[in-house]
Amino acid sequence: MAHYRASESKREQFRRYLEKSGVLDTITNVLVALYEETDKPNNALDFIKLHLGAAGSEPADTEALRVELADLRQKCNLLVEENKALRNRVRCC
């Protein structure tokens, strides 16, 4: 009987830890979002991973966004230089 109480105490401590750290609320919110989804996804685990921020496709998306960001920064720099050149031409004439 003492063994049962010790393990029950550890479970209760772990439950309080999860509650205090916000894990239970986060998981509950994701499961509620899945429940309220009108068109249930084919893969519930992917839905949960996506809403927890651990989706498997994220690194590929992140890399694509980084490439796009680099391209846009380069274009922005070119446009800033072009703008400066045009302003100088307008001032000179």
Side-chain angles (χ1 to χ4, degrees), residues 60-79:
D61 293 344
T62 303
E63 185 57 33
L65 289 172
R66 283 188 182 131
V67 169
E68 183 180 2
L69 177 61
D71 288 344
L72 290 172
R73 282 183 175 161
Q74 185 178 11
K75 287 178 185 177
C76 181
N77 289 335
L78 290 172
L79 289 172

Side-chain angles (χ1 to χ4, degrees), residues 6-19:
S7 101
E8 197 62 33
S9 174
K10 286 183 181 180
R11 285 182 186 176
E12 184 61 27
Q13 287 175 352
F14 186 65
R15 186 194 61 76
R16 283 190 301 239
Y17 163 73
L18 291 176
E19 193 173 278

Side-chain angles (χ1 to χ4, degrees), residues 7-42:
S7 101
E8 197 62 33
S9 174
K10 286 183 181 180
R11 285 182 186 176
E12 184 61 27
Q13 287 175 352
F14 186 65
R15 186 194 61 76
R16 283 190 301 239
Y17 163 73
L18 291 176
E19 193 173 278
K20 184 178 178 182
S21 62
V23 172
L24 290 179
D25 285 339
T26 302
I27 291 173
T28 301
N29 290 338
V30 171
L31 291 175
V32 167
L34 177 60
Y35 175 78
E36 292 175 346
E37 197 66 28
T38 54
D39 296 326
K40 301 290 187 242
N42 292 334

